[in-house]
Amino acid sequence: MKKLLWFLFLLLLAILSYYREVLFISINAVIAGEQFFWAKTTQIDYFIGKSPEFLVRLKYIMTVGLTVLFALFTIVGLRVSFKEKTPFLLALLSYGLCGIVAAVVLLYSLVTNSFDSVYSFLRLIIEYLHNPLIYLILSASFLGFSFSQKQSS
């Protein structure tokens, strides 16, 4: 395992996760009619004055873009950090399965006109994908598995 590369990708994912949270909370504050964001870590002036419809569309676009970024950084980070391909392949599988489940649920909600009933489930999937958790779990699991294999041989 290349520890420095692994740590740099973890740091990148943590920073991306932080800024994702700040942006979404800022947008939600503006949608709610607030003019001030308590964290003072970003200016929300860009969002002030935009219509709620525009901001909601922006959130959907950001959700897709950030999902791609988190998947890319996780998958590439695992690929360059480990000699073996297993963590990389498991990350592909994780993001792929989550994407398929989300797509099926979204299609169902569009066909049945019941997006409100599946929104919280879709948001749960996104919360799982928009943080360094997959990177950490797959790294720790693979390291533990590798260590146990060395101990048993």
Side-chain angles (χ1 to χ4, degrees):
M1 180 175 152
K2 300 170 188 166
K3 293 176 186 171
L4 181 60
L5 278 173
W6 182 88
F7 180 75
L8 288 175
F9 273 95
L10 177 62
L11 185 62
L12 181 64
L13 285 165
I15 291 168
L16 184 61
S17 182
Y18 172 77
Y19 279 107
R20 178 242 183 252
E21 194 67 18
V22 168
L23 282 170
F24 276 84
I25 290 175
S26 297
I27 291 172
N28 288 337
V30 173
I31 290 173
E34 299 174 22
Q35 301 288 320
F36 175 75
F37 179 54
W38 59 271
K40 296 183 183 179
T41 55
T42 187
Q43 292 291 328
I44 60 172
D45 296 338
Y46 172 77
F47 303 126
I48 293 176
K50 303 285 193 262
S51 71
E53 295 80 18
F54 171 81
L55 294 173
V56 169
R57 272 184 289 167
L58 181 62
K59 283 175 47 175
Y60 286 129
I61 292 167
M62 286 174 37
T63 297
V64 171
L66 286 167
T67 302
V68 170
L69 278 177
F70 274 100
L72 182 67
F73 291 153
T74 297
I75 291 166
V76 170
L78 292 171
R79 184 66 188 115
V80 299
S81 297
F82 292 95
K83 293 177 188 172
E84 298 83 1
K85 289 184 180 181
T86 306
F88 158 78
L89 295 172
L90 288 172
L92 280 175
L93 181 65
S94 297
Y95 277 97
L97 285 175
C98 286
I100 290 169
V101 168
V104 168
V105 169
L106 186 59
L107 285 173
Y108 167 79
S109 73
L110 293 174
V111 168
T112 61
N113 201 19
S114 60
F115 182 75
D116 291 341
S117 66
V118 299
Y119 175 77
S120 61
F121 177 72
L122 291 172
R123 186 169 175 189
L124 181 67
I125 291 174
I126 293 303
E127 287 174 5
Y128 172 69
L129 298 177
H130 284 190
N131 63 60
L133 192 59
I134 294 175
Y135 187 77
L136 287 169
I137 290 173
L138 291 177
S139 296
S141 299
F142 184 73
L143 287 172
F145 175 76
S146 297
F147 181 74
S148 71
Q149 293 300 310
K150 289 177 184 174
Q151 293 294 344
S152 64
S153 35

